[in-house]
Amino acid sequence: MRIRLRLARPCNQLRGSVTLSYDDLCRRTRERDRSLREKVMSLDEAAALVPDGASIGIGGSTLSRTPLAMVWALIRAGRRDLVCARGISSSEGELLFASGASRHLITSWFSLGIVWGVSRIMRAYTETGRARFEEWSHLAMGLRFRAGAMGLPFLPMRSMLGSDVLTQLPDARVIDCPFTGEKLVLVPALNPDFALIHVQRCDAYGNAQIDGLPFMDLDLALAANRVILTTERIVSNDQIRRRPDQTKIPFLAVDAVIEVPFGCAPHECYGAYEPLFDHLNHYAAALKPDAEQGIRDYLARYFYEPASWTDYLDRIGLAELIDAARRGKSIYDD
Amino acid sequence: MRIRLRLARPCNQLRGSVTLSYDDLCRRTRERDRSLREKVMSLDEAAALVPDGASIGIGGSTLSRTPLAMVWALIRAGRRDLVCARGISSSEGELLFASGASRHLITSWFSLGIVWGVSRIMRAYTETGRARFEEWSHLAMGLRFRAGAMGLPFLPMRSMLGSDVLTQLPDARVIDCPFTGEKLVLVPALNPDFALIHVQRCDAYGNAQIDGLPFMDLDLALAANRVILTTERIVSNDQIRRRPDQTKIPFLAVDAVIEVPFGCAPHECYGAYEPLFDHLNHYAAALKPDAEQGIRDYLARYFYEPASWTDYLDRIGLAELIDAARRGKSIYDD
Amino acid sequence: MMTDSARYTASELLAVMSARLLQDGQVVFAGVGIPLLAASLAQRLHAPGLTILFEGGTIGAYVEPGQLPPSTNEQRCTRRANMVLGSTDVLLLLQRGYVDVGFMGGAQIDQYGNLNSSYIGLPERPTTRLPGTGGGNDIASLTQMIVAMKHEKRRFVERVDFVTSPGFLAGGNSRREVGLSAGGMFRVVTDLGLLGFDESSKRMTVLALHPGVTAAEVQANTGFELLVLSDLPVTDPPSNDELAMLRHLDPDHLYTA
Amino acid sequence: MMTDSARYTASELLAVMSARLLQDGQVVFAGVGIPLLAASLAQRLHAPGLTILFEGGTIGAYVEPGQLPPSTNEQRCTRRANMVLGSTDVLLLLQRGYVDVGFMGGAQIDQYGNLNSSYIGLPERPTTRLPGTGGGNDIASLTQMIVAMKHEKRRFVERVDFVTSPGFLAGGNSRREVGLSAGGMFRVVTDLGLLGFDESSKRMTVLALHPGVTAAEVQANTGFELLVLSDLPVTDPPSNDELAMLRHLDPDHLYTA
């Protein structure tokens, strides 16, 4: 019933991407506490920082380094109307739509991946107008975060020209280059209220190291107004300072640090664990007969019922975690 | 006599930064051999790749990771009219001016550093109009390389507005932002014909790892039309492939690889050696009584006379190299 | 589905035929599925110096047999790669001109090589919402394209419902006129034959037929009128070596079901 | 040169007085020389949570005593730092608004806080070519500035020959009108006193005098008319603790000659 009521406000009129004035951008940043301080908290405490309606940049890509524990915590906390943005979206997008936490996802691609086929939840929600999948090219998503990270209102690019993707995007502009006369697309900065990013390790201040594929996370961290980091483990600041050139996200951009082992499960965390394929198959199978009923049942069993993230992992099963970790670490084998 | 003759062509009319059309940029790149192939050669062979009048981006900054061995090889090869660009320039700029290899340096700052004072060679050459020091802000230099690396004709920025630095730069434009109405400076891409970059290690294909401060070298490598890498040591491709997330410059951008231990001396190479302070003091002292005669003598003794780079290092002296290496490696001590 | 010869599936045929288009020393930007597999096949057989890029952020990939990734964003894509970098940065290599050929699958294509992976029906209320462009638009906008797809009438349409990834748009010079001065459609590989595009009109053209396929059959499975090369060659069937390596790479038929 | 008290040099006075302006928890972008030294002094004394950024690409620096770098681009700047990154990227943190205060030395300043480090005389044929902006223009354009410099008439001029790093340009709202909506000159620390800028006219104003200095002396060493705060306070002289820590950091007087 609750979801139906919300349909009164068409989802394509939800607050989308607004290009902040430089004064507003700087004021928001100035108001943040950017000092060197401990920021360790629980998933619940971090979820409480995020209000309904906030815009959220989600780190990782597809099945990789997805900040799933934080998405889980926001859904459990009953968040609504989050405007979410991610380079490429996967099952976390389905769960955000189906839980009612979001009705607006800004991304370049939204499905389950070659093994499991087109997302039936994405289709069900977008084809009935219950949620919006705002489509930009992958490079456009990246440059929108990068413009946000650079403190710029836009960045130019050379793709999307001539396509219908561009005609659906009133926020993008086409200009004639003042230097060469060539046509360029200008994409507006994306400065989400919050970034959710999962990393392999960081210190209590939020100095984060990322192994393997960084995706758009470095830009996203600097673009967002607040950064919530989940991490496989918290290490000492001394360890960070021994190799400062391995720090990929600076503490001064970070507002919350939560230690969550297996924090991407059932997605992967580079070098720590590969995707939990059996659980992903189980999830896909659960959605097969009736996608909407299937995902409601899945949300109940894995999101609302567990007492804790560890309980969630326990329901996934120890055998799978061990197997995924073995496969994950094997990336460093000869 | 030779230098005097060249004065007929005023140095402020030397070919500066031209914004390439996208067709030209792509054609130049398409013509390069970007395949996985061995590129190991000598300093002399690499110097022979660079014609007179070429534009050159120089990696590192101030006294750090300066590709000095390659600068040394170009000066020895008698190159003329190189248009050089570097974020911040130091003694390598003096040597390029005084040797006649360059009469045009595009940079944000050009001197010797707080310990040795204002560059007398820079002053002598620019104040008499014998050479040009084209001044952009440090961020502008970085964004010009970045635009070049991104395949863009320009990038926007928010500094330089209202300053006289900007009024000296007809190649930069001020626009009203189409999104916010704010004033922005557009700086044109810098795509030098060659980049000279020194790294701690790379493989024979040019996959390069950089420790410590990267400066603008990653953008420079992708902005340039050809990249000449000097490296402290060449490692196997297998070693690179074990940690692909440590590769900072991809082989497909690289055209030459030269193994040159102590290739930045007397400047520093992060983690390998600190600046050779005694030699830098010796250099500064040699230029004190009469800067132009002093640097000519220095060039003779250290650039033209040595039979090889090792001979050059030998003239600097083993004791200093050992001391600088001890200090360099100490960055990893607790 | 087995083809006439029953020696290989249509997907295997697709993988082998498109692998043959890749040349040693090229830089190819490959999507997941048949493109990834075909590029790996080429790399293992005739093009050991082929440099494979993935959108997830990989340069010089060397995917391990039997360890195929579920997308191009997982660590399996980086095993024995030369470099791992941000996804924005790897896409920017396309814009910088470093890539010789983009290589993707396609859901729907039209006579000018435009691809649709976004909407069947109107965008405001589609009958089917597809997964979207991903990097498809960027790749197709910025470099020469090879597309590998099943040859079906519903996929080869006169005009796509929605141009997600631009081919030659309305044909002729229209691609260049909108500002896309680099790249364009190069080849479409299907389970029936090999297709290209007419140099001036930019209309899709049959360049070769796979063994046992007729030009009439190709036309019958296409929703618009094809140009046909006079003196149409027939491709060599997949060799035993090609099929053996293909099955070694994808023993579970993850991409070649 | 020793000041009246003979307990400290003018450079040491400058370092101590400017260190006092930095607050715990702030993010400061510091240039080499007195700024680097003063920021390190503040970090060791009253502001342990001060985050120091260097243009060479360092976040959260913690420079070691006696190991002062020759510029902000050497590995000494990164010892025990929290993060090392590209110089373009560290400068972009200014543009993104992450920095509370920029802190530089100055060669020549005018009544509106404009700095010149480029040319004495005309740019086309200068009598003295100076080293240039470096990051100075970027820092001064994008964040609140503290400048530390010797108080000499030839350095404090009515109008700089060349605006390398913008202060308040022609005063009033002129800085904002050219498009510089963030930052501006905050303080100028000299060996004679502490100066700020009038809120509406943006003219340089004496805010405090160092021990033993008179307002008349400050004016006499300035090439334009200064505004003077009524009821001018006198700063506390450098304490023994401050001087001891300063000399511990720079035992060779590399920056405080």
Side-chain angles (χ1 to χ4, degrees):
Chain A
M1 271 322 278
R2 201 172 164 198
I3 287 172
R4 195 157 289 278
L5 269 177
R6 291 180 173 258
L7 277 176
R9 188 156 140 243
C11 65
N12 60 5
Q13 284 171 26
L14 287 178
R15 178 196 153 202
S17 42
V18 180
T19 308
L20 292 171
S21 75
Y22 192 50
D23 283 345
D24 285 342
L25 182 74
C26 289
R27 183 184 39 73
R28 280 164 43 126
T29 309
R30 212 162 37 234
E31 285 168 3
R32 296 167 66 180
D33 181 353
R34 286 159 281 124
S35 69
L36 193 72
R37 61 193 166 89
E38 299 211 357
K39 298 152 190 171
V40 180
M41 60 182 76
S42 68
L43 285 173
D44 288 347
E45 286 168 327
L49 299 174
V50 181
D52 285 355
S55 59
I56 307 276
I58 300 176
S61 184
T62 327
L63 302 180
S64 286
R65 261 194 322 91
T66 312
L68 243 156
M70 201 58 226
V71 169
W72 179 85
L74 289 172
I75 288 174
R76 283 160 60 95
R79 281 305 155 276
R80 296 272 147 185
D81 279 342
L82 302 175
V83 178
C84 298
R86 195 180 192 211
I88 291 182
S89 297
S90 177
S91 63
E92 83 293 341
E94 296 190 314
L95 295 160
L96 285 162
F97 274 6
S99 66
S102 175
R103 296 188 294 146
H104 187 176
L105 181 55
I106 306 169
T107 188
S108 74
W109 195 90
F110 181 7
S111 201
L112 278 184
I114 192 163
V115 190
W116 302 280
V118 176
S119 163
R120 288 143 58 97
I121 294 295
M122 179 277 282
R123 286 196 55 191
Y125 275 78
T126 57
E127 290 169 12
T128 57
R130 279 181 287 165
R132 182 172 170 208
F133 158 19
E134 181 184 332
E135 181 177 341
W136 297 72
S137 85
H138 200 192
L139 179 56
M141 289 299 300
L143 294 178
R144 295 192 64 192
F145 287 134
R146 183 159 294 178
M150 293 170 83
L152 289 173
F154 67 84
L155 277 174
M157 63 184 291
R158 297 185 189 273
S159 60
M160 297 208 297
L161 287 161
S163 73
D164 289 325
V165 175
L166 186 62
T167 61
Q168 298 294 307
L169 297 170
D171 290 343
R173 318 269 168 112
V174 178
I175 62 153
D176 295 320
C177 171
F179 294 90
T180 62
E182 296 156 352
K183 293 221 181 306
L184 295 167
V185 177
L186 307 186
V187 294
L190 202 47
N191 289 103
D193 297 330
F194 292 86
L196 317 182
I197 296 174
H198 187 80
V199 301
Q200 282 86 359
R201 72 199 78 82
C202 70
D203 66 17
Y205 306 137
N207 287 299
Q209 296 181 345
I210 293 178
D211 299 327
L213 297 154
F215 304 113
M216 300 172 176
D217 291 9
L218 316 188
D219 287 327
L220 171 57
L222 294 177
N225 192 48
R226 307 237 180 257
V227 176
I228 297 177
L229 276 191
T230 51
T231 179
E232 290 294 317
R233 61 196 178 95
I234 294 175
V235 300
S236 72
N237 181 249
D238 277 345
Q239 179 170 335
I240 293 292
R241 287 180 187 263
R242 254 175 233 130
R243 283 304 299 264
D245 58 356
Q246 295 301 304
T247 308
K248 299 301 177 218
I249 297 174
F251 73 86
L252 46 73
V254 175
D255 301 86
V257 169
I258 311 108
E259 190 177 64
V260 194
F262 289 101
C264 303
H267 293 191
E268 86 167 19
C269 181
Y270 195 103
Y273 42 93
E274 278 208 330
L276 282 59
F277 289 118
D278 287 346
H279 186 79
L280 289 167
N281 290 336
H282 160 72
Y283 169 79
L287 269 61
K288 203 110 199 193
D290 176 343
E292 299 205 42
Q293 185 56 49
I295 201 164
R296 272 196 295 274
D297 294 346
Y298 182 89
L299 279 165
R301 170 145 179 75
Y302 291 98
F303 275 55
Y304 300 123
E305 288 172 14
S308 65
W309 180 254
T310 305
D311 190 9
Y312 162 87
L313 294 176
D314 201 32
R315 286 169 187 236
I316 288 176
L318 181 61
E320 260 219 271
L321 296 174
I322 289 174
D323 178 58
R326 182 192 55 75
R327 289 184 281 117
K329 284 166 192 141
S330 76
I331 193 75
Y332 295 118
D333 294 347
D334 259 346
Chain B
M1 272 322 280
R2 204 173 161 195
I3 288 172
R4 195 155 289 279
L5 270 176
R6 289 177 176 263
L7 277 177
R9 188 156 139 242
C11 66
N12 61 6
Q13 284 171 28
L14 286 178
R15 178 198 153 199
S17 42
V18 180
T19 308
L20 292 172
S21 75
Y22 192 50
D23 283 346
D24 284 342
L25 182 74
C26 289
R27 183 184 40 73
R28 281 165 43 128
T29 309
R30 212 161 39 235
E31 286 167 4
R32 296 167 66 180
D33 181 352
R34 285 159 281 126
S35 68
L36 193 73
R37 62 193 167 89
E38 298 211 357
K39 299 152 189 171
V40 180
M41 61 183 75
S42 69
L43 285 172
D44 288 348
E45 287 167 327
L49 300 174
V50 181
D52 284 356
S55 58
I56 307 276
I58 300 175
S61 185
T62 327
L63 301 180
S64 286
R65 260 193 325 91
T66 312
L68 243 157
M70 201 58 225
V71 169
W72 178 86
L74 289 171
I75 289 174
R76 282 159 62 96
R79 282 305 155 273
R80 295 273 147 186
D81 278 342
L82 302 176
V83 178
C84 298
R86 194 180 193 211
I88 291 181
S89 296
S90 177
S91 63
E92 85 293 341
E94 295 189 314
L95 295 159
L96 285 162
F97 274 6
S99 66
S102 176
R103 295 189 293 147
H104 186 176
L105 181 55
I106 306 168
T107 188
S108 74
W109 194 92
F110 180 7
S111 201
L112 277 185
I114 193 164
V115 191
W116 302 281
V118 176
S119 163
R120 288 143 56 96
I121 294 296
M122 179 278 282
R123 286 196 56 189
Y125 276 77
T126 57
E127 290 169 13
T128 57
R130 281 181 288 164
R132 182 173 168 207
F133 159 18
E134 182 185 333
E135 181 177 341
W136 297 70
S137 85
H138 199 192
L139 179 56
M141 289 300 299
L143 294 178
R144 295 193 64 192
F145 288 134
R146 183 158 293 178
M150 293 170 84
L152 290 173
F154 67 83
L155 276 174
M157 64 183 289
R158 298 186 188 273
S159 59
M160 296 208 299
L161 286 162
S163 73
D164 289 325
V165 175
L166 186 63
T167 60
Q168 297 294 306
L169 297 170
D171 290 342
R173 316 268 169 111
V174 178
I175 62 154
D176 295 319
C177 172
F179 294 91
T180 62
E182 295 155 354
K183 292 220 182 307
L184 296 167
V185 177
L186 307 185
V187 294
L190 201 47
N191 289 105
D193 297 330
F194 293 86
L196 316 182
I197 296 174
H198 186 80
V199 302
Q200 282 85 1
R201 72 199 79 84
C202 70
D203 66 17
Y205 306 138
N207 287 300
Q209 298 182 344
I210 293 177
D211 299 327
L213 296 155
F215 304 113
M216 299 172 178
D217 291 9
L218 317 188
D219 287 327
L220 171 58
L222 294 177
N225 192 47
R226 307 237 181 257
V227 176
I228 298 176
L229 276 191
T230 51
T231 178
E232 289 295 316
R233 61 196 177 97
I234 294 175
V235 299
S236 71
N237 182 247
D238 279 343
Q239 178 170 336
I240 294 291
R241 287 180 187 262
R242 253 175 234 131
R243 283 304 299 265
D245 58 355
Q246 295 301 303
T247 308
K248 300 300 177 221
I249 297 173
F251 73 87
L252 44 73
V254 175
D255 302 87
V257 169
I258 311 109
E259 191 177 65
V260 194
F262 289 101
C264 304
H267 292 191
E268 86 167 18
C269 181
Y270 195 104
Y273 42 94
E274 279 208 329
L276 282 60
F277 289 118
D278 287 348
H279 186 78
L280 288 167
N281 289 335
H282 160 71
Y283 169 80
L287 268 62
K288 203 109 199 194
D290 177 342
E292 300 205 41
Q293 185 57 47
I295 201 163
R296 272 195 296 274
D297 294 345
Y298 181 89
L299 279 165
R301 171 148 177 73
Y302 291 98
F303 275 55
Y304 301 123
E305 288 172 15
S308 64
W309 180 254
T310 305
D311 190 9
Y312 163 87
L313 294 176
D314 201 33
R315 285 169 187 235
I316 288 177
L318 181 61
E320 261 220 270
L321 295 174
I322 290 174
D323 177 59
R326 182 191 55 74
R327 288 184 281 117
K329 285 166 192 142
S330 75
I331 192 75
Y332 295 117
D333 295 347
D334 260 346
Chain C
M1 153 194 124
M2 286 286 169
T3 62
D4 294 347
S5 83
R7 283 178 54 241
Y8 41 84
T9 66
S11 298
E12 289 179 329
L13 180 66
L14 213 46
V16 168
M17 291 300 173
S18 46
R20 290 181 188 169
L21 294 179
L22 301 173
Q23 293 162 30
D24 199 22
Q26 279 186 326
V27 179
V28 59
F29 203 106
V32 75
I34 295 291
L36 183 152
L37 188 59
S40 299
L41 180 62
Q43 192 184 45
R44 291 328 207 270
L45 295 178
H46 64 275
L50 184 71
T51 297
I52 303 174
L53 270 52
F54 296 134
E55 194 176 337
T58 307
I59 297 180
Y62 195 80
V63 169
E64 281 196 67
Q67 300 285 310
L68 300 179
S71 84
T72 55
N73 296 273
E74 290 77 29
Q75 66 176 36
R76 291 180 174 201
C77 300
T78 72
R79 180 101 178 123
R80 301 204 61 219
N82 284 282
M83 180 171 177
V84 157
L85 72 174
S87 25
T88 308
D89 297 300
V90 78
L91 288 161
L92 284 171
L93 292 180
L94 289 159
Q95 184 163 283
R96 181 62 184 79
Y98 273 106
V99 177
D100 291 303
V101 57
F103 186 6
M104 305 186 341
Q108 194 186 54
I109 195 168
D110 70 18
Q111 59 182 328
Y112 297 116
N114 301 303
L115 294 163
N116 176 16
S117 56
S118 300
Y119 301 94
I120 306 296
L122 292 174
E124 302 79 53
R125 188 56 67 116
T127 56
T128 306
R129 183 56 163 115
L130 298 169
T133 158
N137 176 287
D138 305 308
I139 302 168
S141 296
L142 298 168
T143 195
Q144 292 284 334
M145 281 286 291
I146 299 174
V147 175
M149 56 190 289
K150 296 279 172 69
H151 210 129
E152 297 169 11
K153 202 159 191 164
R154 65 182 182 103
R155 294 179 184 276
F156 282 69
V157 298
E158 179 142 7
R159 192 180 169 153
V160 288
D161 291 4
F162 186 94
V163 178
T164 305
S165 302
F168 292 109
L169 297 174
N173 279 325
S174 58
R175 179 182 167 100
R176 205 176 159 87
E177 279 158 14
V178 301
L180 297 174
S181 57
M185 275 290 148
F186 174 60
R187 291 288 180 268
V188 180
V189 189
T190 78
D191 46 339
L192 299 183
L194 179 67
L195 303 101
F197 294 84
D198 179 70
E199 206 165 312
S200 71
S201 73
K202 309 297 185 193
R203 281 176 54 195
M204 201 185 285
T205 308
V206 186
L207 302 180
L209 299 171
H210 294 329
V213 179
T214 65
E217 238 177 295
V218 177
Q219 181 61 70
N221 284 283
T222 303
F224 54 88
E225 196 190 340
L226 288 162
L227 301 181
V228 181
L229 212 64
S230 58
D231 207 10
L232 211 53
V234 174
T235 57
D236 290 332
S239 71
N240 289 339
D241 281 358
E242 286 169 324
L243 291 172
M245 180 55 80
L246 191 63
R247 290 163 189 166
H248 174 61
L249 288 167
D250 188 9
D252 308 322
H253 295 279
L254 200 67
Y255 297 165
T256 51
Chain D
M1 151 194 125
M2 285 288 169
T3 61
D4 294 346
S5 81
R7 283 178 52 241
Y8 43 83
T9 66
S11 298
E12 288 178 329
L13 180 65
L14 213 46
V16 168
M17 290 301 173
S18 44
R20 290 182 188 169
L21 293 179
L22 302 173
Q23 294 162 29
D24 199 21
Q26 279 186 327
V27 179
V28 59
F29 202 107
V32 75
I34 296 291
L36 183 152
L37 188 60
S40 300
L41 181 63
Q43 192 185 44
R44 293 323 208 273
L45 294 178
H46 64 275
L50 185 71
T51 297
I52 303 173
L53 271 53
F54 295 135
E55 194 175 337
T58 306
I59 296 180
Y62 195 81
V63 169
E64 282 196 66
Q67 299 288 309
L68 301 179
S71 84
T72 56
N73 297 273
E74 290 76 29
Q75 65 176 38
R76 292 179 172 200
C77 300
T78 72
R79 179 100 179 125
R80 299 205 61 219
N82 284 281
M83 181 170 179
V84 157
L85 73 174
S87 26
T88 308
D89 297 300
V90 78
L91 288 161
L92 284 171
L93 292 180
L94 290 159
Q95 185 164 282
R96 181 61 183 80
Y98 273 106
V99 178
D100 292 302
V101 57
F103 186 8
M104 307 186 336
Q108 192 186 56
I109 194 167
D110 70 17
Q111 59 182 328
Y112 298 116
N114 301 302
L115 294 164
N116 176 16
S117 56
S118 299
Y119 301 94
I120 305 295
L122 293 174
E124 302 80 53
R125 190 55 68 114
T127 55
T128 307
R129 184 55 163 115
L130 299 169
T133 158
N137 177 287
D138 305 308
I139 302 169
S141 296
L142 298 168
T143 195
Q144 293 285 335
M145 282 286 290
I146 299 175
V147 175
M149 57 191 289
K150 296 277 172 70
H151 210 130
E152 298 169 10
K153 203 159 190 164
R154 64 183 183 102
R155 295 180 183 274
F156 282 69
V157 298
E158 178 141 9
R159 192 180 169 154
V160 288
D161 291 6
F162 186 94
V163 178
T164 306
S165 303
F168 292 109
L169 297 174
N173 279 326
S174 58
R175 180 183 166 101
R176 205 176 160 88
E177 278 158 15
V178 300
L180 296 174
S181 57
M185 273 291 147
F186 175 59
R187 291 288 181 270
V188 180
V189 190
T190 77
D191 46 339
L192 299 182
L194 179 67
L195 303 101
F197 294 84
D198 178 70
E199 206 165 314
S200 71
S201 73
K202 310 296 186 194
R203 280 177 55 197
M204 201 185 288
T205 308
V206 185
L207 303 181
L209 300 171
H210 294 329
V213 179
T214 66
E217 237 176 297
V218 176
Q219 182 60 69
N221 284 284
T222 304
F224 54 88
E225 196 191 339
L226 287 163
L227 301 181
V228 181
L229 213 63
S230 58
D231 208 9
L232 210 53
V234 175
T235 57
D236 290 332
S239 71
N240 289 339
D241 281 357
E242 286 168 323
L243 290 172
M245 180 56 77
L246 190 64
R247 290 162 189 166
H248 174 63
L249 288 166
D250 187 10
D252 308 322
H253 295 279
L254 201 66
Y255 297 165
T256 51

